[in-house]
Amino acid sequence: MKTCTTCNKIVTDSKTEFKCPECGKTTIIRCDHCKMTTKTYTCKECGFVGP
Ligand SMILES: [Zn+2]
Ligand SMILES: [Zn+2]
């Protein structure tokens, strides 16, 4: 089950999914809501914060 990295909501159809640009270890998943409101995400591995 995939959850949004920012709000932890379950994402069934994740269109926004990418590796952390800093460490590449974690996969960042963002739901449509967080994408639209341009909330920031934090990488669990390296603590990288991105838009
Ligand atoms: Zn979200
Ligand atoms: Zn990272």
Side-chain angles (χ1 to χ4, degrees):
M1 195 70 85
K2 289 174 180 178
T3 53
C4 172
T5 305
T6 301
C7 68
N8 290 319
K9 204 175 81 173
I10 291 166
V11 178
T12 47
D13 184 23
S14 63
K15 298 173 191 75
T16 311
E17 189 178 333
F18 52 93
K19 293 267 192 267
C20 169
E22 188 71 16
C23 66
K25 288 178 185 172
T26 53
T27 303
I28 311 292
I29 301 168
R30 311 190 71 202
C31 68
D32 287 343
H33 177 74
C34 290
K35 196 171 70 178
M36 279 194 295
T37 54
T38 56
K39 290 202 183 286
T40 56
Y41 59 84
T42 307
C43 174
K44 281 174 283 187
E45 281 292 325
C46 66
F48 177 79
V49 179

